[in-house]
Amino acid sequence: MPVKQHFILLIAIATLTTSFATDWVVRGSGAMPPKKYVPPLVSNGELSMLIDWNCGQRQTRYVSMVPAVYWAGRRMKAPEGRLFSFGHFEWDISIDSQVFHDPHTWAQELDVKRAVMRVQQTYTNGVQITSEVFTPLEKTVIAFRRTIINTSAQPKHVALALRYTFPQSPWCPSAWQVNTNDATVRCNYHLLGHKELNGTVLLDAGPSAQPATTPTGARMTSSLILETADTEIFTFF
């Protein structure tokens, strides 16, 4: 009988502000990272993934690696035997209805003392976003905390959307479903790998978020209005 397992993505917007703990920081501007840039690895020994300066996994090849979510021991059948990719996630950010694919400036740090990946992003219209991503030691969870600050003299309407893409594979049939009762969206899958596994990928951003399915996965959107110099942001999980 197939074993059933799952992992969860939690998304939070918070009021806390953070600063970099060390000078070991990679800095860049726009869509061009520094030469020889490779995203840092975030892992708890079970889930492992590369996360870039947009707090996501843009599908760019770094040396021989393309960012994705991997789960230890979940492999394809022999003779290939490679780790199965559980897909990837990216963020869409719009400010006053203008979509931004990249910030004006950014700084990224892998904080090994706190076991978090941190990114600070600055946009030309006065919005700053500080993000932290981590995977708890004993849980198959990817957790996000995104702090948004309006430093401009005008109110700002900000919308954040997490897009999760799950691989379309005959070796892993899957189906996404929105639960309107708790504003979550989940993917039930059946992996025909070296072990037969049933499992679930769950996206949860709290009751104020707007979950939806897409042709390739799911999308979780949250919108808010920041008043002038506002740092009081609601939090959701």
Side-chain angles (χ1 to χ4, degrees), residues 198-231:
N198 288 328
T200 301
V201 178
L202 175 69
L203 276 64
D204 185 357
S208 61
Q210 298 176 333
T213 60
T214 69
T216 58
R219 181 183 181 94
M220 188 72 74
T221 305
S222 181
S223 300
L224 62 154
I225 296 178
L226 292 173
E227 298 299 330
T228 302
D230 196 358
T231 58

Short mmCIF file of all heavy atoms in Angstrom, two decimals, residues 198-231:
data_model
loop_
_atom_site.label_atom_id
_atom_site.label_comp_id
_atom_site.label_asym_id
_atom_site.label_seq_id
_atom_site.Cartn_x
_atom_site.Cartn_y
_atom_site.Cartn_z
N ASN A 198 1.76 8.24 -1.80
CA ASN A 198 0.68 9.21 -1.92
C ASN A 198 1.01 10.37 -1.00
O ASN A 198 1.49 10.15 0.13
CB ASN A 198 -0.67 8.62 -1.53
CG ASN A 198 -1.19 7.64 -2.56
OD1 ASN A 198 -0.92 7.80 -3.76
ND2 ASN A 198 -1.91 6.63 -2.12
N GLY A 199 0.77 11.58 -1.43
CA GLY A 199 1.08 12.71 -0.57
C GLY A 199 0.34 13.96 -0.96
O GLY A 199 -0.45 13.98 -1.90
N THR A 200 0.61 15.04 -0.22
CA THR A 200 -0.07 16.32 -0.41
C THR A 200 0.92 17.46 -0.27
O THR A 200 1.76 17.46 0.62
CB THR A 200 -1.18 16.51 0.64
OG1 THR A 200 -2.12 15.45 0.54
CG2 THR A 200 -1.90 17.84 0.43
N VAL A 201 0.82 18.42 -1.18
CA VAL A 201 1.50 19.71 -1.03
C VAL A 201 0.43 20.73 -0.68
O VAL A 201 -0.54 20.89 -1.42
CB VAL A 201 2.23 20.12 -2.33
CG1 VAL A 201 2.87 21.49 -2.15
CG2 VAL A 201 3.27 19.08 -2.71
N LEU A 202 0.59 21.42 0.44
CA LEU A 202 -0.42 22.36 0.93
C LEU A 202 0.14 23.77 0.96
O LEU A 202 1.23 24.00 1.50
CB LEU A 202 -0.86 21.95 2.34
CG LEU A 202 -1.83 22.89 3.05
CD1 LEU A 202 -3.19 22.87 2.38
CD2 LEU A 202 -1.94 22.53 4.53
N LEU A 203 -0.59 24.73 0.40
CA LEU A 203 -0.26 26.14 0.50
C LEU A 203 -1.26 26.81 1.43
O LEU A 203 -2.47 26.71 1.23
CB LEU A 203 -0.32 26.82 -0.87
CG LEU A 203 0.91 26.74 -1.78
CD1 LEU A 203 1.19 25.30 -2.17
CD2 LEU A 203 0.74 27.60 -3.01
N ASP A 204 -0.73 27.49 2.46
CA ASP A 204 -1.59 28.10 3.47
C ASP A 204 -1.07 29.50 3.78
O ASP A 204 0.07 29.66 4.19
CB ASP A 204 -1.58 27.24 4.74
CG ASP A 204 -2.56 27.76 5.80
OD1 ASP A 204 -3.19 28.81 5.57
OD2 ASP A 204 -2.68 27.10 6.84
N ALA A 205 -1.90 30.51 3.56
CA ALA A 205 -1.51 31.89 3.84
C ALA A 205 -2.52 32.59 4.73
O ALA A 205 -2.56 33.81 4.79
CB ALA A 205 -1.32 32.66 2.54
N GLY A 206 -3.36 31.85 5.40
CA GLY A 206 -4.33 32.46 6.29
C GLY A 206 -5.63 32.81 5.60
O GLY A 206 -5.72 32.81 4.37
N PRO A 207 -6.68 33.11 6.38
CA PRO A 207 -8.02 33.31 5.83
C PRO A 207 -8.16 34.53 4.93
O PRO A 207 -9.12 34.62 4.16
CB PRO A 207 -8.89 33.43 7.08
CG PRO A 207 -7.96 33.87 8.16
CD PRO A 207 -6.65 33.23 7.84
N SER A 208 -7.25 35.49 5.01
CA SER A 208 -7.37 36.70 4.20
C SER A 208 -6.80 36.52 2.79
O SER A 208 -7.00 37.38 1.93
CB SER A 208 -6.66 37.87 4.88
OG SER A 208 -5.29 37.59 5.04
N ALA A 209 -6.11 35.44 2.55
CA ALA A 209 -5.50 35.21 1.24
C ALA A 209 -6.53 34.69 0.24
O ALA A 209 -7.60 34.22 0.62
CB ALA A 209 -4.35 34.22 1.37
N GLN A 210 -6.17 34.78 -1.03
CA GLN A 210 -7.04 34.33 -2.10
C GLN A 210 -6.37 33.19 -2.85
O GLN A 210 -5.50 33.43 -3.70
CB GLN A 210 -7.35 35.49 -3.05
CG GLN A 210 -8.09 36.64 -2.39
CD GLN A 210 -8.29 37.82 -3.33
OE1 GLN A 210 -7.52 38.01 -4.26
NE2 GLN A 210 -9.34 38.58 -3.09
N PRO A 211 -6.75 31.95 -2.56
CA PRO A 211 -6.14 30.81 -3.25
C PRO A 211 -6.80 30.55 -4.59
O PRO A 211 -8.00 30.82 -4.78
CB PRO A 211 -6.40 29.65 -2.28
CG PRO A 211 -7.68 30.03 -1.60
CD PRO A 211 -7.68 31.53 -1.50
N ALA A 212 -6.04 30.00 -5.53
CA ALA A 212 -6.58 29.66 -6.84
C ALA A 212 -5.69 28.61 -7.48
O ALA A 212 -4.49 28.52 -7.18
CB ALA A 212 -6.66 30.89 -7.74
N THR A 213 -6.28 27.81 -8.35
CA THR A 213 -5.49 26.86 -9.13
C THR A 213 -5.10 27.51 -10.46
O THR A 213 -5.75 28.44 -10.93
CB THR A 213 -6.27 25.57 -9.39
OG1 THR A 213 -7.47 25.88 -10.11
CG2 THR A 213 -6.63 24.87 -8.09
N THR A 214 -4.02 27.00 -11.05
CA THR A 214 -3.54 27.45 -12.36
C THR A 214 -3.34 26.22 -13.23
O THR A 214 -3.38 25.08 -12.73
CB THR A 214 -2.22 28.22 -12.23
OG1 THR A 214 -1.18 27.30 -11.84
CG2 THR A 214 -2.33 29.34 -11.19
N PRO A 215 -3.11 26.38 -14.54
CA PRO A 215 -2.89 25.21 -15.39
C PRO A 215 -1.71 24.35 -14.98
O PRO A 215 -1.68 23.15 -15.28
CB PRO A 215 -2.65 25.84 -16.77
CG PRO A 215 -3.40 27.13 -16.73
CD PRO A 215 -3.24 27.63 -15.32
N THR A 216 -0.73 24.94 -14.27
CA THR A 216 0.46 24.18 -13.88
C THR A 216 0.63 24.03 -12.37
O THR A 216 1.61 23.45 -11.93
CB THR A 216 1.72 24.85 -14.43
OG1 THR A 216 1.79 26.21 -13.95
CG2 THR A 216 1.72 24.85 -15.95
N GLY A 217 -0.33 24.54 -11.59
CA GLY A 217 -0.17 24.43 -10.15
C GLY A 217 -1.17 25.27 -9.39
O GLY A 217 -2.38 25.12 -9.56
N ALA A 218 -0.67 26.18 -8.55
CA ALA A 218 -1.56 26.98 -7.72
C ALA A 218 -0.98 28.36 -7.48
O ALA A 218 0.22 28.60 -7.68
CB ALA A 218 -1.82 26.28 -6.39
N ARG A 219 -1.84 29.25 -6.99
CA ARG A 219 -1.45 30.63 -6.74
C ARG A 219 -2.12 31.10 -5.46
O ARG A 219 -3.31 30.85 -5.25
CB ARG A 219 -1.87 31.50 -7.93
CG ARG A 219 -1.51 32.97 -7.84
CD ARG A 219 -2.07 33.70 -9.07
NE ARG A 219 -1.74 35.11 -9.07
CZ ARG A 219 -0.68 35.63 -9.67
NH1 ARG A 219 0.14 34.83 -10.32
NH2 ARG A 219 -0.45 36.93 -9.63
N MET A 220 -1.36 31.78 -4.60
CA MET A 220 -1.89 32.31 -3.35
C MET A 220 -1.60 33.81 -3.31
O MET A 220 -0.43 34.23 -3.33
CB MET A 220 -1.22 31.61 -2.16
CG MET A 220 -1.83 31.95 -0.83
SD MET A 220 -3.47 31.21 -0.57
CE MET A 220 -3.04 29.49 -0.31
N THR A 221 -2.65 34.64 -3.27
CA THR A 221 -2.50 36.09 -3.38
C THR A 221 -3.00 36.79 -2.13
O THR A 221 -4.02 36.41 -1.56
CB THR A 221 -3.28 36.63 -4.60
OG1 THR A 221 -2.86 35.93 -5.77
CG2 THR A 221 -3.03 38.11 -4.78
N SER A 222 -2.28 37.83 -1.73
CA SER A 222 -2.72 38.67 -0.62
C SER A 222 -2.47 40.13 -0.99
O SER A 222 -1.44 40.48 -1.56
CB SER A 222 -1.97 38.34 0.66
OG SER A 222 -2.44 39.15 1.72
N SER A 223 -3.44 40.99 -0.67
CA SER A 223 -3.34 42.41 -1.00
C SER A 223 -3.50 43.25 0.26
O SER A 223 -4.22 42.87 1.19
CB SER A 223 -4.42 42.81 -2.02
OG SER A 223 -4.29 42.08 -3.21
N LEU A 224 -2.85 44.39 0.27
CA LEU A 224 -2.97 45.29 1.41
C LEU A 224 -2.68 46.72 0.96
O LEU A 224 -2.05 46.94 -0.07
CB LEU A 224 -2.03 44.89 2.53
CG LEU A 224 -0.53 44.93 2.24
CD1 LEU A 224 0.25 45.14 3.53
CD2 LEU A 224 -0.07 43.63 1.59
N ILE A 225 -3.16 47.68 1.74
CA ILE A 225 -2.89 49.09 1.49
C ILE A 225 -2.03 49.62 2.62
O ILE A 225 -2.39 49.53 3.80
CB ILE A 225 -4.19 49.90 1.38
CG1 ILE A 225 -5.01 49.42 0.18
CG2 ILE A 225 -3.88 51.39 1.26
CD1 ILE A 225 -6.34 50.12 0.03
N LEU A 226 -0.87 50.18 2.25
CA LEU A 226 0.04 50.77 3.22
C LEU A 226 -0.13 52.28 3.20
O LEU A 226 0.03 52.91 2.15
CB LEU A 226 1.49 50.42 2.87
CG LEU A 226 1.91 48.97 3.00
CD1 LEU A 226 3.31 48.78 2.47
CD2 LEU A 226 1.85 48.53 4.45
N GLU A 227 -0.46 52.86 4.34
CA GLU A 227 -0.55 54.30 4.42
C GLU A 227 0.86 54.90 4.44
O GLU A 227 1.85 54.18 4.47
CB GLU A 227 -1.33 54.72 5.68
CG GLU A 227 -2.76 54.23 5.70
CD GLU A 227 -3.59 54.77 4.54
OE1 GLU A 227 -3.28 55.90 4.08
OE2 GLU A 227 -4.53 54.10 4.10
N THR A 228 0.93 56.22 4.43
CA THR A 228 2.22 56.90 4.39
C THR A 228 3.10 56.48 5.56
O THR A 228 2.67 56.51 6.72
CB THR A 228 2.02 58.42 4.42
OG1 THR A 228 1.21 58.80 3.31
CG2 THR A 228 3.35 59.15 4.36
N ALA A 229 4.32 56.05 5.25
CA ALA A 229 5.29 55.62 6.26
C ALA A 229 4.75 54.51 7.16
O ALA A 229 5.11 54.41 8.33
CB ALA A 229 5.76 56.81 7.10
N ASP A 230 3.91 53.68 6.62
CA ASP A 230 3.25 52.63 7.41
C ASP A 230 4.17 51.43 7.57
O ASP A 230 4.77 50.95 6.61
CB ASP A 230 1.96 52.21 6.71
CG ASP A 230 1.05 51.42 7.64
OD1 ASP A 230 1.45 51.18 8.80
OD2 ASP A 230 -0.04 51.05 7.20
N THR A 231 4.28 50.93 8.81
CA THR A 231 4.98 49.68 9.07
C THR A 231 4.07 48.70 9.80
O THR A 231 4.50 47.63 10.19
CB THR A 231 6.24 49.93 9.93
OG1 THR A 231 5.86 50.55 11.16
CG2 THR A 231 7.23 50.79 9.21
#
